[in-house]
Amino acid sequence: MTDTNITIIGAGVVGLAVAAELSKFHKGVMVLEKHKSFGQETSSRNSEVVHSGIYYPEGSLKAKLCVEGRELLYNYCIKHNILFNKCGKLIVATDKKEAEQLPAILKQSQKNGVSDGHFIDKQQAYDMEPNVLAVSALYFPSTGIVDSHGLMKQLETEAVINGAEMAYNNSVVSVTKEDNYYRICVKEDEGDFSFTTNYVINAAGLNSDIISNSTGFINPDYKLHYWKGEYFAIGNGKHKMVSRLVYPVPQLNITGLGVHATIDLNGGLKLGPNTVYLPDKIPEYSVDSSHLKDFMASAGRFLPFLEENDLHPDQSGIRPKLQKPGDPVRDFIIKDEGDNGLPGFINLLGIESPGLTASLAIGKMVSGIISN
């Protein structure tokens, strides 16, 4: 007999979604989180966008789980009265060269199962967003924003009602395979302890590669790389000049989608994120004010009303990517490590964007892995 049945490491939005889903069908679910509450890292430091699933490679987990997760997420929000705004998203071309890239973007979205995207011309774009510069655009009505804190609180509540145990201020030191179960060593304020469990779900976000390595199975392809994304808020009353998400046409050879304009549920407007590689993997959340000019140069192409004194540093977040600069884009890793001698140890690695959108779908996928 083990001390518990299923242990989930990490109480970000993905860990909580897994807990809420598994606790419907299984007893003895425990969530370990090193912070004093849920969602203290990547899950609370993002733009809260509900993505459509446009850019991801066809057949990838990112594409599949984003499209599936988007509808699950909207339905979940309606059911539980979680705030969201299906405001829609514009991808705007500011010149003829950018406009020529729009058909390929639309085609990619359709391959991924995104069925609501369509072209709009210059006048239609102006009618929708008169303060945005666009010669043409794509419009995706299904993109939106969500109250990520409200979502995580509801997932935590659901998991607890289902019988799951939340253990905060508990840092996992190691996971060791012993016979047909796992021993998890934990550090907390009162000291170190260990317990046994049948299944381990590694949803530790920024530290998920460290947790995976602690088993003794070390795969160099599982190494995470930290990429900081900074945001600048728009002030001086100009936050009212945009009512939707506005993205530029992605530039070649960049790691993200480019600095874009994101509204929030409180009526604010911000720009971001950029992509700043952190080679030392030190989670540092300051916003470098010297990057303001770069934000202006990027966003000023499609938001011509902006002036430098309209912007001030806002928040930043860190994405746990599986690629360093110059590497090809990597997909999520969601995998039972049975073929590596660790049956019942399920890795969730590289869960960056669209992790928030895909969270409920990831929960269902992990539940399916355990059921099989």
Side-chain angles (χ1 to χ4, degrees):
M1 291 288 291
T2 54
D3 297 313
T4 193
N5 184 22
I6 300 172
T7 301
I8 300 161
I9 303 173
V13 67
V14 171
L16 293 171
V18 172
E21 183 67 22
L22 289 180
S23 61
K24 296 176 186 176
F25 309 106
H26 303 275
K27 300 298 183 184
V29 175
M30 174 181 284
V31 180
L32 296 175
E33 169 56 52
K34 67 179 181 179
H35 293 290
K36 64 182 180 180
S37 184
F38 58 75
Q40 297 296 295
E41 294 182 342
T42 305
S43 296
S44 60
R45 292 176 168 272
N46 57 71
S47 55
E48 300 187 306
V49 171
V50 181
H51 291 284
S52 294
I54 299 167
Y55 295 104
Y56 314 113
E58 183 183 5
S60 66
L61 286 177
K62 287 183 177 180
K64 175 181 179 295
L65 295 173
C66 182
V67 172
E68 178 185 340
R70 182 191 70 222
E71 294 311 308
L72 290 172
L73 183 57
Y74 282 136
N75 290 336
Y76 191 82
C77 289
I78 292 169
K79 179 179 178 181
H80 296 288
N81 295 313
I82 299 165
L83 291 176
F84 72 94
N85 179 4
K86 196 184 286 190
C87 55
K89 163 181 173 175
L90 286 172
I91 301 174
V92 297
T94 59
D95 57 36
K96 182 179 178 181
K97 185 176 180 180
E98 289 183 348
E100 292 172 349
Q101 298 179 55
L102 295 181
I105 295 172
L106 182 61
K107 184 176 181 180
Q108 182 63 47
S109 72
Q110 292 167 342
K111 287 181 178 179
N112 290 345
V114 182
S115 59
D116 65 344
H118 58 271
F119 288 103
I120 60 172
D121 60 25
K122 182 176 182 178
Q123 183 60 49
Q124 291 170 313
Y126 177 82
D127 291 341
M128 295 173 72
E129 295 289 349
N131 298 306
V132 173
L133 177 63
V135 298
S136 60
L138 295 175
Y139 180 50
F140 292 88
S142 60
T143 306
I145 51 175
V146 66
D147 175 9
S148 59
H149 180 86
L151 172 64
M152 288 188 283
K153 183 61 181 174
Q154 178 59 41
L155 289 169
E156 181 202 43
T157 299
E158 183 174 344
V160 170
I161 290 172
N162 291 341
E165 181 180 352
M166 308 298 300
Y168 293 112
N169 291 314
N170 283 266
S171 296
V172 173
V173 177
S174 64
V175 180
T176 306
K177 182 79 167 62
E178 295 185 2
D179 297 324
N180 294 320
Y181 58 86
Y182 293 89
R183 181 170 297 279
I184 299 182
C185 293
V186 178
K187 172 177 278 207
E188 63 169 357
D189 293 341
E190 287 76 24
D192 298 352
F193 69 96
S194 70
F195 67 95
T196 57
T197 185
N198 294 316
Y199 296 92
V200 180
I201 316 299
N202 176 17
L206 295 174
N207 292 314
S208 54
D209 58 342
I210 297 172
I211 297 297
S212 183
N213 289 345
S214 77
T215 65
F217 166 65
I218 299 176
N219 186 336
D221 287 339
Y222 286 7
K223 181 179 180 180
L224 291 178
H225 300 272
Y226 287 5
W227 293 80
K228 181 162 72 170
E230 300 170 315
Y231 293 86
F232 281 77
I234 297 176
N236 294 334
K238 294 184 178 178
H239 61 283
K240 301 176 181 178
M241 299 183 74
V242 174
S243 60
R244 293 171 180 81
L245 306 173
V246 182
Y247 284 59
V249 172
Q251 303 299 300
L252 295 176
N253 302 318
I254 67 168
T255 309
L257 297 178
V259 169
H260 49 268
T262 305
I263 64 173
D264 63 35
L265 292 167
N266 297 315
L269 179 65
K270 59 179 178 280
L271 299 177
N274 59 356
T275 51
V276 181
Y277 183 58
L278 303 179
D280 297 326
K281 291 182 68 173
I282 297 174
E284 192 276 314
Y285 293 102
S286 66
V287 177
D288 188 340
S289 59
S290 70
H291 292 161
L292 186 150
K293 290 186 182 296
D294 294 333
F295 274 69
M296 274 295 304
S298 180
R301 294 184 301 113
F302 60 92
L303 301 179
F305 59 83
L306 281 182
E307 300 175 278
E308 284 191 14
N309 64 4
D310 297 328
L311 303 183
H312 59 271
D314 191 54
Q315 67 172 359
S316 73
I318 297 174
R319 310 169 189 128
K321 290 182 178 289
L322 286 161
Q323 69 267 13
K324 62 183 183 299
D327 289 348
V329 173
R330 297 276 302 279
D331 198 5
F332 293 157
I333 293 173
I334 301 176
K335 182 177 182 291
D336 181 284
E337 299 293 353
D339 58 351
N340 293 305
L342 299 169
F345 183 90
I346 301 172
N347 262 325
L348 278 62
L349 296 163
I351 311 297
E352 48 156 338
S353 180
L356 173 63
T357 307
S359 57
L360 298 182
I362 292 173
K364 287 185 177 296
M365 182 175 178
V366 171
S367 181
I369 291 172
I370 288 181
S371 296
N372 291 330

